[in-house]
Amino acid sequence: QVQLVESGGGLVQAGGSLRLSCVASGRTFSIAVMGWFRQAPGKEREFVAGISWSGGSTYYEDSVKGRFTISRDNAKNTVYLQMNSLKPEDTAVYYCAAKKNSLVVRLPNNYDYWGQGTQVTVSS
C-alpha cells in the first residue's frame, strides 16, 4: 500500500501562485508515475499533470502548460505542483495520485492510490 498526503491548498487571487505538495509513504518503490488531478463542483475529475518517478518525464493538460510545473524529490518521497498565473477556472479540489505502471497517465481510473485532496480557490 501507498499513502498520499497533500498540502498547500488555499485561497489566492487571480494571477497569484500556490505550491502543492504530496508526500508518499509505504511501498513507494512500487510507484511508477505520480499525478495531480482536480475536480470542480459538478464536473468530472480531470488530469492536470504527471511525472514519472524514476526518469522525470512530465506530462501536462493543455490548459495548464506554461503555468504549472510538476516536480519530484525522490529523497523526500514528495511531488510538487507549482501553480503560477492562477485563474478562477483553476478552482477545484486537487488530488495527488500514484500508479504502479507508466501507461496512460491521463486517465484517473488507471491510478492505484489517491490522497484526500486539497482545496484551491482562485478569486477574480
Side-chain angles (χ1 to χ4, degrees):
Q1 289 290 338
V2 173
Q3 295 77 43
L4 304 173
V5 178
E6 304 103 330
S7 62
L11 173 65
V12 64
Q13 288 188 332
S17 299
L18 283 174
R19 188 177 81 156
L20 305 183
S21 300
C22 174
V23 179
S25 60
R27 299 171 65 88
T28 57
F29 59 85
S30 67
I31 297 174
V33 172
M34 296 284 291
W36 286 98
F37 290 79
R38 64 188 179 187
Q39 189 166 19
K43 295 188 176 181
E44 293 186 352
R45 192 169 297 190
E46 67 172 358
F47 173 78
V48 176
I51 188 166
S52 64
W53 199 239
S54 59
S57 298
T58 57
Y59 314 87
Y60 294 96
E61 194 265 334
D62 287 345
S63 69
V64 307
K65 284 181 181 177
R67 300 189 298 124
F68 291 10
T69 303
I70 189 170
S71 61
R72 77 200 193 289
D73 184 334
N74 293 63
K76 296 182 179 180
N77 286 334
T78 301
V79 64
Y80 304 97
L81 186 68
Q82 178 66 44
M83 305 186 294
N84 298 328
S85 302
L86 283 161
K87 304 175 181 180
E89 51 263 44
D90 294 318
T91 295
V93 177
Y94 282 70
Y95 296 90
C96 174
K99 63 199 303 290
K100 295 184 284 188
N101 66 68
S102 59
L103 302 175
V104 195
V105 301
R106 300 173 184 270
L107 292 181
N109 288 347
N110 284 357
Y111 283 74
D112 303 290
Y113 307 104
W114 291 86
Q116 81 287 354
T118 185
Q119 177 71 47
V120 171
T121 303
V122 184
S123 63
S124 57

